[in-house]
Amino acid sequence: MVGLLRKTTGLVGLAVCDSPLQHNKNKLEGLLQGGQIEELILQAEKELSLARKMMHWKPWEPLVEEPPANQWKSSLCDF
């Protein structure tokens, strides 16, 4: 069984999940077709982190004050 475990993801900076059997690695990778399970876990963790930040930021609430009319106008380029 040890020979079947992944030793590397082949992706720089992305470590191998230390408990792939717990995550049903092969079945999930095949079903989701979203990459290696380590990538999917990392993305899910980042999305959870963002969701927690959004709860704090409350972007759905109205602005305290209106933005300036020319907020997005740049003097460097005219469209």
Side-chain angles (χ1 to χ4, degrees):
M1 184 73 164
V2 174
L4 298 177
L5 297 179
R6 186 180 290 160
K7 293 179 171 82
T8 179
T9 62
L11 302 171
V12 175
L14 187 61
V16 174
C17 181
D18 55 356
S19 56
L21 297 178
Q22 183 179 0
H23 295 287
N24 265 333
K25 172 182 78 66
N26 293 333
K27 186 175 182 181
L28 284 174
E29 285 178 352
L31 288 173
L32 299 176
Q33 298 179 354
Q36 296 180 15
I37 193 68
E38 290 85 359
E39 292 176 288
L40 299 172
I41 293 169
L42 182 62
Q43 182 170 345
E45 288 171 349
K46 287 181 178 182
E47 288 179 7
L48 179 60
S49 173
L50 177 61
R52 289 179 175 146
K53 290 176 184 176
M54 297 292 269
M55 291 296 293
H56 177 73
W57 295 335
K58 300 178 184 178
W60 55 86
E61 292 184 355
L63 296 174
V64 174
E65 59 185 47
E66 288 297 316
N70 62 352
Q71 176 177 349
W72 302 111
K73 184 172 180 163
S74 173
S75 61
L76 298 176
C77 57
D78 294 322
F79 292 102

